Amino acid sequence: MDKTVSPDAISTILSNPSPESSSDIPEIVVQVLDLKLTGNRYMFNASDGKKRLKAILPSNLSSEVISGNIQNKGLIRLLDYALNEIPTKSEKYLIVTKCEVVSPALEMEIKIEVKSDESGIILKPKQEDEVKKDGPGIVLKPKQEMVAKSAAQILRDQNGNMAPAARLAMTRRVHPLVSLNPYQGNWTIKVRVTSKGNMRTYKNARGEGCVFNVELTDEDGTQIQATMFNEAARKFYDRFQLGKVYYISRGTLRVANKQFKTVQNDYEMNLNENSEVEEAVNETAFIPQTKFNFVPIDELGRYVNGTELVDIIGVVQNVSPTMSIRRKSNNEMVPKRDITVADETKRTVTVSLWNELATNVGQELLDNADKSPIVAIKSLKVGDFQGISLSTLGRSTVLVSPDLPEAKKLKSWYESEGKGTSMASIGSGLGSLAKNGARSMYSDRVSLTHITSNPSLGDEKPVFFSIKTYISLIKPDQAMWYRACKTCNKKVTDALGSGYWCEGCQKNDEECSLRYIMVARVCDGSGEAWISIFNEEAERIIGCSADELNELKSQLGDDNSYQMKLKEVTWVPHLLRVSVAQQEYNNEKRQRVTVRAVAPVDFAAESKFLLEEISKKVSHQNA
């Protein structure tokens, strides 16, 4: 039997523009015509041979077109859809939310002639329940007035009927997230809160306000970010609880700002004070929990100073006390706490927790630090402080001892092997830090001349390179260190009376520490350059702390021991990971090269690297 369209499929869709559930949809097969990409979605004309209806495939079905499953002049079966009216246009659009391919492209468009003697439609009186058609016979329900129920109405219906909530939800018209667009009117969604940000304040030309975001996930796994400002933010901040399921209605959608979006969705949602948010009870297993895309710690290098956020899972190794940091933008003090986590790659990384995460979750981790808890953290920013570091944002989520397969696997590894294993910091630069393309001492290897001969390097943002070089000079008369707070490492000044004053911590301390901040001249076979070196990297190069070097300098007022120590470290080969950025001085841009990681030369690995480079050059010359 030839594959063809369903008779009067378009009339069937028009008579039931918003089916209450997929079980209400009869067999509807249409032909795809005039398939084309418009923006980031595919549009087409759905045809039953007699009539046409403009249709849109949501972005999650674009892959079906790209892979060739859905083709122009092919046939698809509609499994779920919604018919939307677009205010700016007179016609209605069919939003295909679920479909399956019936046939690839046919040779030609299906056309069915309409004949008066074979129209086959027998209309019964208006009061009868259904309309029947002779022949193959599909049963068409008469057109009914479809009323979209709000979140509050659905909850009132459920409270008046003691049937299970899941079964009731199947009888309501709950829209999947993938079907929503800015042109829709009334809709209700059923979603789980999989991420909740902190309440943030802002100040602009229109005044002051507050805002917070949540990430919502429906039963199909589709996600969307919802934002609330001012009155709506204050109204819904306490109502939205992480992990709970809600019915939401009376919101608006707009095209997502790519710079700020955190989920894969073309749209973002705004909820105002008139939006309805009602908790759906007994829905613990109905909608997926928070989704993670974990990145191993030894692969974080590729994300440094990028726009992409990462998720990690690790064993907590260390938790610092809470410290207060003064925010430059508004001079406000905000709490911060650093934790160190490790994973099966035997690498560690420092994660900075801010605001409520520092005081609440951070305190929980501090209280249980001796038990080495597992943490899963979503939406972290990757920075280059101390080589590589992570920092939470307002939208970040931290789960302690999560019920995840990855957490159980990591806990088992740590108990059996990891607890007694030596861990190295991902920022230390020791050995190869990379797998599958992550940065290491043997990636992005360049000569010093490559850096110094390109004055525009790092003009827009810092760029990173690896170099093999020698320290040729460290000036002994430079200011090689600064006095630092023992808590936050910021610069301190002499306090009134005695001790030292830390502006960052807003307190006096009797003691302080010295931290390196120096410059050195380095050279290789191509040339030389001046580089900036900070504390951890300088300690590895000089071989002692700034406090210890200061003691040598102060011995008997003789600088000989101090100068000998500096000479000892010259002409020793090092592998350096450096950043190159532009710095403005006296209205003139200058290139600044900063050491981000230091490692001794592994001569076996270095020889292998050089042989590979020689092989590449020989192959290139013979090509």
Side-chain angles (χ1 to χ4, degrees):
M1 179 178 173
D2 293 337
K3 294 179 180 178
T4 186
V5 295
S6 299
D8 298 303
I10 302 302
S11 297
T12 303
I13 295 170
L14 294 174
S15 68
N16 191 7
S18 184
E20 293 184 353
S21 69
S22 56
S23 60
D24 289 337
I25 301 176
E27 177 82 0
I28 301 179
V29 177
V30 296
Q31 186 176 26
V32 177
L33 299 176
D34 306 322
L35 180 65
K36 63 181 179 180
L37 181 64
T38 303
N40 56 0
R41 300 186 176 211
Y42 284 91
M43 301 184 67
F44 67 97
N45 283 313
S47 170
D48 63 3
K50 298 178 183 178
K51 298 179 180 179
R52 288 188 177 192
L53 184 62
K54 288 189 175 182
I56 299 175
L57 290 173
S59 55
N60 69 311
L61 291 178
S62 296
S63 59
E64 294 293 306
V65 180
I66 296 171
S67 64
N69 291 334
I70 297 178
Q71 300 178 3
N72 194 44
K73 297 184 180 178
L75 302 179
I76 60 172
R77 179 180 291 108
L78 304 185
L79 302 178
D80 197 10
Y81 66 86
L83 197 62
N84 290 342
E85 293 185 3
I86 299 181
T88 57
K89 300 184 179 180
S90 58
E91 61 241 299
K92 295 183 178 180
Y93 277 76
L94 172 68
I95 310 297
V96 181
T97 53
K98 287 184 182 179
C99 69
E100 62 182 14
V101 177
V102 175
S103 170
L106 304 178
E107 293 183 1
M108 59 175 53
E109 176 186 347
I110 296 176
K111 292 185 178 180
I112 300 174
E113 294 184 9
V114 181
K115 298 180 180 179
S116 58
D117 58 338
E118 293 181 359
S119 59
I121 301 291
I122 303 174
L123 296 178
K124 292 188 177 182
K126 196 171 185 179
Q127 66 271 20
E128 292 196 22
D129 291 335
E130 57 185 34
V131 180
K132 293 186 179 179
K133 176 188 170 193
D134 295 335
I138 53 176
V139 177
L140 301 182
K141 294 182 178 179
K143 185 174 180 180
Q144 300 175 355
E145 183 180 359
M146 304 301 296
V147 178
K149 292 181 179 287
S150 71
Q153 289 172 319
I154 290 178
L155 265 294
R156 282 197 294 270
D157 289 347
Q158 287 193 4
N159 292 335
N161 189 329
M162 298 308 294
R167 189 165 75 236
L168 279 174
M170 298 302 292
T171 64
R172 304 287 187 260
R173 181 51 181 170
V174 174
H175 289 70
L177 286 177
V178 74
S179 71
L180 302 185
N181 64 69
Y183 307 110
Q184 277 178 276
N186 294 330
W187 46 257
T188 298
I189 57 174
K190 184 180 181 182
V191 289
R192 184 187 296 277
V193 177
T194 49
S195 178
K196 178 184 176 182
N198 295 320
M199 181 77 79
R200 309 187 304 278
T201 57
Y202 64 88
K203 182 185 295 184
N204 56 28
R206 291 176 291 181
E208 298 181 358
C210 58
V211 60
F212 87 100
N213 309 87
V214 290
E215 290 177 12
L216 309 172
T217 307
D218 69 5
E219 63 178 319
D220 297 323
T222 305
Q223 294 183 293
I224 194 168
Q225 178 178 289
T227 304
M228 286 138 282
F229 290 90
N230 301 322
E231 288 301 321
R234 287 185 281 269
K235 177 180 179 181
F236 294 122
Y237 185 76
D238 292 329
R239 186 173 305 180
F240 275 123
Q241 298 296 318
L242 187 65
K244 290 189 176 181
V245 180
Y246 298 87
Y247 289 106
I248 300 175
S249 60
R250 297 187 180 178
T252 58
L253 274 80
R254 64 181 180 184
V255 176
N257 186 330
K258 292 183 179 180
Q259 183 179 355
F260 300 109
K261 77 173 186 175
T262 59
V263 298
Q264 294 300 314
N265 199 311
D266 297 330
Y267 301 116
E268 61 187 13
M269 185 181 297
N270 275 81
L271 300 179
N272 58 39
E273 58 270 26
N274 297 319
S275 299
E276 292 186 357
V277 177
E278 299 289 343
E279 184 181 350
V281 295
N282 301 322
E283 298 290 354
T284 55
F286 188 72
I287 294 177
Q289 300 284 347
T290 302
K291 285 188 172 183
F292 290 93
N293 184 21
F294 294 121
V295 175
I297 291 177
D298 71 343
E299 295 183 18
L300 291 172
R302 72 182 73 176
Y303 301 96
V304 171
N305 292 330
T307 58
E308 188 174 354
L309 304 180
V310 302
D311 307 340
I312 68 161
I313 186 169
V315 184
V316 176
Q317 301 284 284
N318 183 56
V319 183
S320 77
T322 302
M323 61 189 79
S324 295
I325 305 297
R326 188 176 298 278
R327 185 180 290 160
K328 290 182 180 180
S329 59
N330 56 11
N331 214 32
E332 180 185 351
M333 300 297 292
V334 293
K336 174 193 174 187
R337 189 193 300 266
D338 289 338
I339 64 172
T340 303
V341 299
D343 68 3
E344 291 173 281
T345 65
K346 301 177 183 178
R347 295 286 176 183
T348 65
V349 67
T350 299
V351 183
S352 295
L353 306 178
W354 295 88
N355 298 309
E356 292 182 3
L357 291 178
T359 55
N360 297 339
V361 179
Q363 186 61 45
E364 180 184 352
L365 292 175
L366 183 62
D367 295 340
N368 296 280
D370 58 329
K371 300 177 183 177
S372 301
I374 305 293
V375 291
I377 311 178
K378 184 175 180 63
S379 300
L380 287 166
K381 177 74 174 175
V382 186
D384 60 9
F385 181 69
Q386 295 182 346
I388 296 176
S389 61
L390 302 174
S391 183
T392 60
L393 305 173
R395 64 181 70 102
S396 301
T397 302
V398 181
L399 300 183
V400 181
S401 302
D403 186 16
L404 298 171
E406 296 91 343
K408 295 175 182 177
K409 180 183 176 185
L410 183 59
K411 189 69 173 178
S412 175
W413 167 81
Y414 187 74
E415 293 293 338
S416 62
E417 177 187 347
K419 188 181 296 185
T421 302
S422 176
M423 306 282 187
S425 169
I426 181 65
S428 66
L430 297 175
S432 174
L433 304 184
K435 288 182 179 179
N436 302 324
R439 305 298 193 262
S440 77
M441 289 297 183
Y442 296 97
S443 65
D444 309 319
R445 175 73 72 85
V446 299
S447 65
L448 286 173
T449 300
H450 175 83
I451 297 174
T452 57
S453 63
N454 289 275
S456 62
L457 279 177
D459 193 20
E460 295 183 357
K461 64 178 182 179
V463 291
F464 294 81
F465 299 105
S466 297
I467 57 176
K468 176 179 174 288
T469 186
Y470 295 84
I471 305 288
S472 61
L473 176 64
I474 301 175
K475 289 183 178 181
D477 57 348
Q478 66 176 300
M480 292 190 60
W481 46 69
Y482 68 95
R483 294 182 300 183
C485 172
K486 287 191 171 184
T487 302
C488 69
N489 295 330
K490 289 186 176 294
K491 186 177 180 179
V492 297
T493 57
D494 290 325
L496 294 175
S498 64
Y500 304 93
W501 169 255
C502 175
E503 188 68 24
C505 296
Q506 290 287 296
K507 66 177 183 178
N508 280 332
D509 268 327
E510 290 301 318
E511 296 181 349
C512 68
S513 61
L514 299 181
R515 292 178 64 85
Y516 285 113
I517 177 171
M518 67 182 200
V519 295
R521 189 174 65 195
V522 296
C523 64
D524 64 7
S526 68
E528 62 182 17
W530 288 94
I531 61 174
S532 299
I533 313 173
F534 294 100
N535 194 64
E536 284 75 13
E537 292 72 30
E539 286 182 351
R540 294 190 185 98
I541 291 173
I542 296 177
C544 66
S545 67
D547 287 302
E548 293 169 337
L549 190 61
N550 182 52
E551 288 182 11
L552 292 177
K553 186 176 182 179
S554 60
Q555 283 179 1
L556 301 176
D558 188 358
D559 288 346
N560 287 338
S561 298
Y562 165 70
Q563 293 188 15
M564 284 297 297
K565 183 65 176 177
L566 297 183
K567 287 183 179 179
E568 285 176 5
V569 303
T570 59
W571 305 112
V572 176
H574 294 281
L575 297 179
L576 305 180
R577 185 77 181 164
V578 299
S579 65
V580 183
Q582 295 292 325
Q583 186 179 43
E584 193 166 319
Y585 182 75
N586 288 338
N587 295 323
E588 179 184 349
K589 281 191 174 182
R590 294 183 179 181
Q591 196 177 66
R592 181 173 183 175
V593 183
T594 304
V595 177
R596 299 299 181 182
V598 180
V601 176
D602 181 336
F603 290 100
E606 185 70 15
S607 299
K608 182 179 179 181
F609 169 76
L610 293 175
L611 287 172
E612 290 175 353
E613 290 297 301
I614 292 170
S615 178
K616 289 177 185 177
K617 290 185 180 293
V618 171
S619 300
H620 180 72
Q621 291 174 354
N622 294 336

